[in-house]
């Protein structure tokens, strides 16, 4: 659950930065958000979640 909230916050910040700095239009942000909601209700959502968790554990294992 914490990973999901952190991911949502991170992606929200990225979309906000694109909106402010790179000229992302509000309509583009709305379309991306709706796409995410519709994608979450499909059969591929568990695979995307597993891939995200795998990437998070890979990044978490990197020692600086």
């Amino acid at each position: 659950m914490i990973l999901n909230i952190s991911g949502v916050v991170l992606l929200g910040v990225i979309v906000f930065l694109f909106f402010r700095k790179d000229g992302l239009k509000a309509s583009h942000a709305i379309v991306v958000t709706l796409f995410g909601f519709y994608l979450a209700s499909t059969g591929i959502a568990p695979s995307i979640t597993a891939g995200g968790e795998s990437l998070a554990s890979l990044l978490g294992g990197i020692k600086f």
Side-chain angles (χ1 to χ4, degrees), residues 15 19 24-38:
V15 169
F19 181 72
L24 179 70
K25 296 180 181 174
S27 61
H28 297 149
I30 291 170
V31 168
V32 168
T33 303
L34 289 174
F35 176 70
F37 280 117
Y38 286 124

Side-chain angles (χ1 to χ4, degrees), residues 39-56:
L39 188 63
S41 65
T42 64
I44 198 170
S47 299
I48 294 171
T49 302
E53 290 173 355
S54 175
L55 180 63

Side-chain angles (χ1 to χ4, degrees), residues 9 12 15 22 38 46 62 64:
V9 170
V15 169
D22 292 337
Y38 286 124
I62 296 175
F64 291 102

Side-chain angles (χ1 to χ4, degrees), residues 7-25:
V8 168
V9 170
L10 176 65
L11 292 174
V13 168
I14 291 170
V15 169
F16 177 76
L17 290 175
F18 282 159
F19 181 72
R20 296 293 291 175
K21 302 291 182 189
D22 292 337
L24 179 70
K25 296 180 181 174

